[in-house]
Amino acid sequence: MATTVDLEDMKLDEQNMPTTITSHQNGEMADTENQLKREFKPRQVFMFSIACAIGTGLVIGSGTGLSRGGPGSLLISYIMVGVAVFFVMTSLGEMAAFVPMNKGFAGYASRMVDPAFGFATGWNYFFKYMIAAPANLTAAGLVIQYWRPDLNVAIWVAVFGVAIITINVLHVSMIGETEFWLGATKILVLIILIISCLVVALGGGPNHVRTGFHYWSDPGAFKEYLAVGSLGRFLGFWACVCQACFAYVGTEVVGMTFGETPNPRKNIPRAVKQTFWRIAVFYILAVVVLGMAVPSDNELLIGATKKSTSADASPFVVAVRLAGIAVLPDFVNASLLVFTLSAACTDIYCASRSLYGLARDKQAPAIFGKTLKNGNPIWATAVSSCSVALGFLNASKSSGTVFQYLVSLVTIFSVLNWFAILVSFLFFRRALKAQRITPSMLPYSSIGQPWGACYALFISCSVIMFSGYDAFMGHFQVDVFVLKYLGVALFMLNTVGWKVWKKTRMVKPDQTDLITGRREFQETEFPNEQQWNEGFWRKLLRKGRIGS
């Protein structure tokens, strides 16, 4: 089975002892000792799950969607994809509550579908984060160009790349603490951005221009892209759908915490509710106020012009600039560095743990399964850090162009992850039916399933199949075609290659293992798990009472 992001770091082990994990690998049982440190604190895991998915796709990439499709297309696409992502999370939540696994959704792909499918899913997850890191570093460079457009983005890729690599080499507790405060800052900044755009749209800026929904009629809610008429407006809408997928990139990481929480019957529904509100507030509300504050034909938006650099990396910066606010754009742009650097740091972390897990399951060279005394998988981290080098493409090409290249790759790898989760869930439901287990017998049964998963699978497959539509517009663009379908080719190659080499077979529904790791309804909470069920502020108050 393939292992994705290592959530064993995320659950505190008070004794800090290595754990023996029994994994099923092609019919053989193998005991492997987990050498990673479990020193993420509950508050760090909570912030990781809440803030890790909020990154450049929303605060920077949303400008591309707005400029290509208009505010109407952008809003509809964010709602459509947001609903699909919600069902991806509930699908994973059902499986995690019934059969908890520390191998994430690649493990479910192996267990429910086919070991070859799980192998491809694990490597796809690794590839996704290898591409996401330079994408976020490029975005950080674009932010810096707001002040220094004369300096190449590659300079900042080098500077910030060294910083995030250093953090990832340190003890895991340092990574957790860094991400906690960066994540808290991201949440605060995004709230400020949403409120600022709303105030600007209602005429609260220095120019006192009340735009409201004026930009929905002029220049219009639905823009033409690559063609004229109805076809152009549809292509503009589809461009927004593809961009929305990039904005939701990383949301599936939240689901990775499901299998590691005590009392999943209680905590998984809570996590799903958090996912719903995060989508509704931090994504959908954000694009609503953005469409109110920024006209879609503004040439400062990324992708709206063919300039080699952009004065404003984020449409939120454009919003406050158009309102005539002199100081706030600098503050907002500086705050956006937190988004990009936090995301880049998390990308290397997730990539290294994914490669470590693959090595421990003998699906990658064994050297990547070795760790330092502090529990850091140093060789896996070193290889993952090499992804920073892709950011140096900015030295020879337009930074905006490179950013769009990387966005295309990351989007497809992420949607393939959603595809793997949804297929695994549908096979899981099929196995439940074959073994006469009804949804009412599950510790957690989500609303709208399995039809919600079918809808999400339809959206995912549509994006995978038609994301490269722009390669065929006008003359055939080879580079665009390769970027849009490279991830699909790798996924298929890994699946077929592993299946042929290991001679794996698709799992039959009546033979699916629904027993190993299964938790019953009534679950005893151990004393060292109490902190995972107690809120951060409640714990703080309790300590205060003890101290007094």
Side-chain angles (χ1 to χ4, degrees), residues 167-198:
I167 293 174
N168 273 274
V169 172
L170 297 175
H171 199 277
V172 68
S173 60
M174 293 295 297
I175 301 174
E177 197 65 17
T178 300
E179 285 303 307
F180 173 79
W181 292 108
L182 289 178
T185 304
K186 286 165 65 175
I187 297 297
L188 178 61
V189 169
L190 189 54
I191 292 174
I192 293 175
L193 293 178
I194 293 174
I195 294 176
S196 298
C197 285
L198 181 60

Side-chain angles (χ1 to χ4, degrees), residues 72 87 94 112 159 173 214 270 279 345 361 381 428 459 495 519 524 531:
F87 283 117
E94 274 198 21
M112 306 297 169
V159 172
S173 60
H214 171 74
R270 180 187 302 168
I279 291 173
C345 186
D361 279 341
T381 301
F428 167 71
I459 296 294
T495 302
R519 302 194 191 195
T524 302
Q531 59 179 316

Side-chain angles (χ1 to χ4, degrees), residues 251-533:
T251 305
E252 69 276 7
V253 178
V254 180
M256 298 299 297
T257 62
F258 289 169
E260 286 294 314
T261 58
N263 196 352
R265 187 186 182 195
K266 173 183 177 182
N267 292 332
I268 287 180
R270 180 187 302 168
V272 170
K273 290 179 181 178
Q274 292 172 352
T275 300
F276 172 81
W277 288 111
R278 181 173 58 253
I279 291 173
V281 176
F282 292 138
Y283 287 90
I284 297 176
L285 180 59
V287 298
V288 169
V289 298
L290 185 62
M292 295 170 63
V294 181
S296 59
D297 59 354
N298 188 280
E299 63 179 10
L300 294 178
L301 293 174
I302 286 184
T305 68
K306 296 182 180 179
K307 295 180 180 178
S308 59
T309 60
S310 176
D312 300 274
S314 171
F316 292 97
V317 177
V318 176
V320 293
R321 287 191 69 189
L322 293 177
I325 304 176
V327 179
L328 192 57
D330 294 273
F331 166 76
V332 172
N333 226 48
S335 300
L336 292 178
L337 280 176
V338 176
F339 283 79
T340 56
L341 297 180
S342 172
C345 186
T346 303
D347 293 336
I348 292 182
Y349 173 85
C350 291
S352 63
R353 270 52 181 184
S354 178
L355 184 57
Y356 170 87
L358 289 166
R360 300 294 290 183
D361 279 341
K362 299 180 180 179
Q363 294 180 341
I367 190 173
F368 299 128
K370 297 183 180 297
T371 63
L372 298 176
K373 290 183 178 180
N374 65 1
N376 190 295
I378 187 61
W379 293 109
T381 301
V383 170
S384 301
S385 299
C386 292
S387 63
V388 172
L390 291 175
F392 291 110
L393 290 172
N394 298 285
S396 58
K397 274 189 171 288
S398 161
S399 52
T401 301
V402 173
F403 181 69
Q404 292 304 321
Y405 283 173
L406 297 174
V407 165
S408 298
L409 288 170
V410 172
T411 301
I412 291 302
F413 283 128
S414 297
V415 177
L416 283 169
N417 286 335
W418 302 347
F419 169 81
I421 294 172
L422 295 166
V423 170
S424 301
F425 172 74
L426 293 176
F427 271 69
F428 167 71
R429 277 297 188 102
R430 187 185 68 160
L432 291 178
K433 184 177 181 179
Q435 299 181 29
R436 298 181 180 180
I437 301 175
T438 63
S440 61
M441 299 170 62
L442 300 178
Y444 166 65
S445 180
S446 56
I447 187 173
Q449 295 289 20
W451 305 113
C454 294
Y455 163 78
L457 186 62
F458 170 76
I459 296 294
S460 300
C461 290
S462 298
V463 172
I464 292 171
M465 292 176 62
F466 302 112
S467 63
Y469 69 98
D470 47 346
F472 301 93
M473 301 303 296
H475 66 281
F476 180 69
Q477 303 176 60
V478 179
D479 57 340
V480 175
F481 179 83
V482 171
L483 287 169
K484 296 298 177 67
Y485 295 107
L486 177 61
V488 180
L490 287 174
F491 193 93
M492 294 176 63
L493 182 63
N494 282 332
T495 302
V496 175
W498 191 259
K499 190 172 187 65
V500 172
W501 186 24
K502 294 294 183 178
K503 296 180 175 57
T504 64
R505 295 182 179 180
M506 185 172 291
V507 181
K508 296 181 179 179
D510 59 339
Q511 297 178 0
T512 302
D513 182 7
L514 299 177
I515 303 299
T516 305
R518 181 174 172 180
R519 302 194 191 195
E520 303 298 335
F521 285 118
Q522 301 299 327
E523 183 174 11
T524 302
E525 294 178 16
F526 296 98
N528 67 333
E529 292 182 330
Q530 282 294 104
Q531 59 179 316
W532 288 86
N533 293 325

Side-chain angles (χ1 to χ4, degrees), residues 134-165:
N136 284 307
L137 289 175
T138 298
L142 287 171
V143 171
I144 293 293
Q145 282 196 332
Y146 175 81
W147 297 287
R148 293 299 302 271
D150 57 313
L151 296 180
N152 194 289
V153 171
I155 298 175
W156 306 112
V157 170
V159 172
F160 296 137
V162 171
I164 63 174
I165 290 173

Side-chain angles (χ1 to χ4, degrees), residues 176-233:
E177 197 65 17
T178 300
E179 285 303 307
F180 173 79
W181 292 108
L182 289 178
T185 304
K186 286 165 65 175
I187 297 297
L188 178 61
V189 169
L190 189 54
I191 292 174
I192 293 175
L193 293 178
I194 293 174
I195 294 176
S196 298
C197 285
L198 181 60
V199 170
V200 166
L202 296 179
N207 60 1
H208 300 294
V209 176
R210 184 184 178 91
T211 58
F213 286 93
H214 171 74
Y215 297 137
W216 282 59
S217 58
D218 182 20
F222 303 94
K223 287 189 62 178
E224 298 174 348
Y225 178 61
L226 297 179
V228 297
S230 299
L231 176 60
R233 286 188 288 273

